[in-house]
Structures are given as C-alpha cells and as structure tokens.
Amino acid sequence: MFDQPAVLRRPAPDMTYEQMLEAVRYEGAYSGTERAAETVERVLAALGRRLTGGERADLAARLPLQAALAFTAQVPSYEELTGWGFVKDIAARSGTSPATARWDTGAVLSVVARLAGPDLLARILRSLPAGYALLFGQIDLNAGRTGA
C-alpha cells in the first residue's frame, strides 16, 4: 500500500476554495469568481516564489487544497524582492499595470492573512523583506525605521 502525499492528509482549512474565491471577489470588488480565481492563482504563485521553509509548509496547510497546490507548485526564488518589487513582478508577469497588480495582491493577501492567523502571519512577515505587511492588510510597524 502506498503512502498518500502529506498534502492530502492535512487538516481541513478554515474555508473551502469556493469560499476563498468569494472572499477575494468581495475584497477586490470583482464582478465574478472567475476573475477572483485568476487573481488567486497569480498572487499565490508569486507568493510561492517568495516563501520557504516552515512558513511555506504551514501556510500551505491552512489554504484550501486548490489554492495550496497553486502556491506550492512554484519553486522558491532566492532573489529578494521588497513588497513593491513583489507587486511589480506580478504586474510584469501578468501584463497588468502596477496599480492593478497592487489591488489584486491586496485582495488575495488580505484573505490569506485571515487564513494564516496572527501567529503564522507574523512569522511570514518576519521572513520576507520590507514592505509586505501592507500587502497583507497589516500595519507595517517597522516602516521608516533604520537599523541601529
């Protein structure tokens, strides 16, 4: 008998994929869930290129299966991108304007933040370069600070 992949044995997330799409549709004020689905796939793929280690595995476990697969299908890149660089990368890959990419990113990552919960979200933000907190709908308490 073969062992099922770990992704199939994980606990059920707090929302279904359809509920996630509806939440993103609402956050982004999109006319339908088809646009929300495209946006979720695009933003989670980009996030999947940024996160590694325990934060990546723990977030994948909290996402609905279809979202987790889009997120984990990406090979992490070790190129450091600030939050604004992340948005510009999404814009370049999708052929949209930076303003549209920023809107889409906020719509998806605000829902991802709710699914992650405060503790995991704090770990995720600590593992990413500056500028990601606002993308997740959080206050960036380190903005404007310099190292001492």
Side-chain angles (χ1 to χ4, degrees):
M1 181 173 222
F2 74 95
D3 191 24
Q4 289 181 326
V7 73
L8 297 178
R9 292 190 309 258
R10 65 197 190 108
D14 289 342
M15 66 175 65
T16 67
Y17 186 66
E18 291 73 23
Q19 290 169 328
M20 182 182 192
L21 293 182
E22 184 56 34
V24 169
R25 187 202 61 74
Y26 178 79
E27 291 290 332
Y30 304 127
S31 60
T33 56
E34 183 176 309
R35 172 74 199 293
E38 293 168 1
T39 304
V40 165
E41 298 281 329
R42 184 178 325 119
V43 173
L44 286 180
L47 187 61
R49 289 188 292 274
R50 300 288 133 224
L51 282 182
T52 61
E55 291 77 24
R56 179 182 174 94
D58 291 346
L59 180 58
R62 295 190 186 180
L63 294 172
L65 181 59
Q66 191 169 345
L69 292 173
F71 171 68
T72 58
Q74 302 303 308
V75 174
S77 170
Y78 291 97
E79 173 189 13
E80 290 230 350
L81 291 179
T82 63
W84 180 238
F86 179 77
V87 169
K88 290 192 306 187
D89 181 59
I90 290 173
R93 289 174 185 265
S94 64
T96 63
S97 71
T100 299
R102 171 60 182 95
W103 182 269
D104 292 347
T105 300
V108 174
L109 295 185
S110 64
V111 174
V112 169
R114 291 195 305 261
L115 287 167
D119 293 337
L120 177 55
L121 183 58
R123 287 178 34 221
I124 289 169
L125 291 174
R126 280 193 302 271
S127 75
L128 293 169
Y132 282 82
L134 292 174
L135 299 176
F136 282 92
Q138 305 296 302
I139 296 172
D140 189 351
L141 298 176
N142 294 317
R145 290 189 183 178
T146 58

